[in-house]
Amino acid sequence: IQKQELEALDGDIMRVLKCGSGVVLPYVRHVGPSTLYFMPAVVQHGLSDEDWARIKSNTMHEVTQLPGCLWLDFAWELSNKQHCFLSEQVEQYCVRADHMADDSGPFSVVSHQHPLIHNLELQFLETSDSKPQDQSADYWIPYTLVARVSPALPSCALTVRAVMAATGQSDTSSVSQDSPRLLEDAPTLERLVCANTARIVHNVGPTKMQINMEAPQIRAWSICRVPIAHVREIVEVVSLLRRQAVFNELLGSCVGITTVDSESMETGASVTVKTFANDPFRIDMYVQAEQTGVSMGVVLRVSEDSCILAWTHQALGVLDSDLTDMSNIPAASLTKATSHAVLSKAAAISSSIPIIVHWLLTH
């Protein structure tokens, strides 16, 4: 799969990491394949072209030591249900155009459009979900491929249900809707992502800012393993996990580790951050510059292709007097066409709310 993604993306390994099925790096973490599916923005920008070339050729052994990276480690586990696997006569599940054009034995060739690479159509060998009566038992064994998510990924219900649907797990009754948790000790995404919800003063260049988070809203689960019934599911699963990881990085930047000057707690800006139970990939920010008294409102949202889009309150038709209640802005109006192109680019490059606020204050 990665070879075909690289061909479609002109060999750009960074784009494979951002919109492909992740960077496959066998034997770097355990005896078997691993996939690097997310790397923090600050780590990406710290790598040289030579580093990316080494990652692409799997010769950068210290890649496992890069901070904040998220992995999928693939392994086999016993299963109560038998799954069909390729015989030794068939080369691979993912079929290239010049490899096989027709059906092979009990398998059929099925085409799937890549969810994020629009000019790439993948072909897979597939079979029925259940063992036919006349099917050779050699193809069917009680094992399943499992992607172990390392570290476990704090996720909203929307992500959990989508991953379950992508892997053929139809019973999502145990994953309740994204309603606020009323108990203080209940798991919320904000609490899992942000180890410390206290106010923290960030130093971004000459600008100091104080960031306050409103009460946690998003019910959360931790995804630690994903059973894979067919390798084609990996492409969609990675895109779902990556979107959640991008949002978590953005949310976590509110309480990131910073050096604070304890002698002076004066701030250049006060920022209020709000999340939404019914729109778990959205963050609203209310920014007030203390020296000038200027107030600004910004809506951030992580799209399905893991891009961070940004809208200013002026573009959304919100009056300065209504900034503290931007939650009434309907999700349907938050489209890529109406987003602020330059601010969205700054948000996508940094994945950092303090840096986004700094951009607002200096432009």
Side-chain angles (χ1 to χ4, degrees):
I1 295 174
Q2 180 177 282
K3 288 179 180 178
Q4 296 190 49
E5 289 175 343
L6 276 170
E7 290 180 3
L9 298 174
D10 300 324
D12 191 337
I13 194 66
M14 288 185 65
R15 293 181 64 192
V16 170
L17 178 62
K18 292 181 178 180
C19 60
S21 58
V23 179
V24 182
L25 300 171
Y27 307 112
V28 297
R29 288 172 51 87
H30 73 136
V31 182
S34 295
T35 291
L36 173 63
Y37 74 91
F38 175 80
M39 183 184 293
V42 66
V43 178
Q44 290 187 38
H45 300 315
L47 297 178
S48 64
D49 292 341
E50 181 182 359
D51 292 331
W52 284 108
R54 292 171 60 205
I55 291 175
K56 182 178 179 180
S57 61
N58 196 16
T59 56
M60 185 179 179
H61 304 299
E62 62 271 26
V63 66
T64 58
Q65 306 302 319
L66 295 176
C69 292
L70 304 182
W71 297 82
L72 297 179
D73 298 323
F74 294 93
W76 301 103
E77 293 185 7
L78 282 170
S79 171
N80 293 328
K81 179 182 178 180
Q82 289 192 335
H83 295 277
C84 186
F85 294 88
L86 292 174
S87 68
E88 59 184 8
Q89 286 78 26
V90 183
E91 182 178 345
Q92 56 187 5
Y93 272 110
C94 188
V95 182
R96 299 176 60 89
D98 58 354
H99 174 72
M100 186 180 299
D102 53 2
D103 298 348
S104 176
F107 300 93
S108 59
V109 178
V110 180
S111 298
H112 292 271
Q113 178 64 44
H114 197 286
L116 298 179
I117 305 176
H118 302 299
N119 60 339
L120 178 59
E121 186 178 79
L122 299 172
Q123 289 186 313
F124 295 96
L125 293 177
E126 297 189 8
T127 187
S128 60
D129 293 333
S130 58
K131 179 180 177 181
Q133 293 290 335
D134 58 348
Q135 179 68 52
S136 170
D138 295 340
Y139 293 110
W140 296 82
I141 57 175
Y143 278 85
T144 188
L145 181 65
V146 174
R148 297 169 180 170
V149 185
S150 180
L153 182 69
S155 303
C156 64
L158 187 63
T159 297
V160 176
R161 288 197 297 263
V163 170
M164 294 177 70
T167 54
Q169 302 175 59
S170 57
D171 184 11
T172 60
S173 58
S174 60
V175 184
S176 56
Q177 295 183 359
D178 302 347
S179 56
R181 298 302 298 257
L182 301 179
L183 301 178
E184 292 185 359
D185 59 346
T188 62
L189 189 66
E190 296 88 341
R191 294 184 186 275
L192 291 178
V193 171
C194 305
N196 182 8
T197 57
R199 297 186 302 177
I200 292 182
V201 177
H202 295 259
N203 288 294
V204 182
T207 305
K208 291 184 179 181
M209 63 193 69
Q210 184 170 277
I211 299 179
N212 303 307
M213 292 189 65
E214 293 194 356
Q217 293 291 317
I218 306 172
R219 188 184 300 232
W221 287 257
S222 286
I223 300 179
C224 58
R225 57 187 296 277
V226 181
I228 303 294
H230 192 285
V231 293
R232 60 172 163 75
E233 298 171 355
I234 295 172
V235 180
E236 185 173 359
V237 166
V238 167
S239 67
L240 294 169
L241 298 181
R242 184 190 295 115
R243 184 190 190 191
Q244 185 68 65
V246 170
F247 180 81
N248 291 359
E249 180 184 26
L250 187 64
L251 182 64
S253 70
C254 295
V255 291
I257 300 174
T258 57
T259 302
V260 179
D261 183 2
S262 59
E263 296 181 359
S264 175
M265 294 298 288
E266 295 181 1
T267 58
S270 176
V271 185
T272 301
V273 174
K274 182 177 182 179
T275 54
F276 297 86
N278 59 355
D279 194 353
F281 292 102
R282 170 178 171 177
I283 295 176
D284 284 11
M285 296 193 309
Y286 170 61
V287 183
Q288 185 171 15
E290 297 189 355
Q291 293 182 350
T292 63
V294 175
S295 298
M296 294 167 282
V298 175
V299 176
L300 302 172
R301 197 170 191 276
V302 180
S303 63
E304 293 184 359
D305 57 357
S306 300
C307 291
I308 302 176
L309 302 177
W311 296 263
T312 61
H313 74 277
Q314 297 96 332
L316 294 170
V318 177
L319 300 176
D320 292 350
S321 58
D322 297 332
L323 288 181
T324 55
D325 192 26
M326 294 191 302
S327 57
N328 293 326
I329 299 173
S333 64
L334 302 177
T335 64
K336 188 172 184 178
T338 61
S339 64
H340 191 293
V342 180
L343 182 56
S344 295
K345 184 177 181 180
I349 292 175
S350 66
S351 292
S352 168
I353 285 178
I355 294 178
I356 296 170
V357 174
H358 176 68
W359 188 94
L360 286 170
L361 297 175
T362 55
H363 289 79

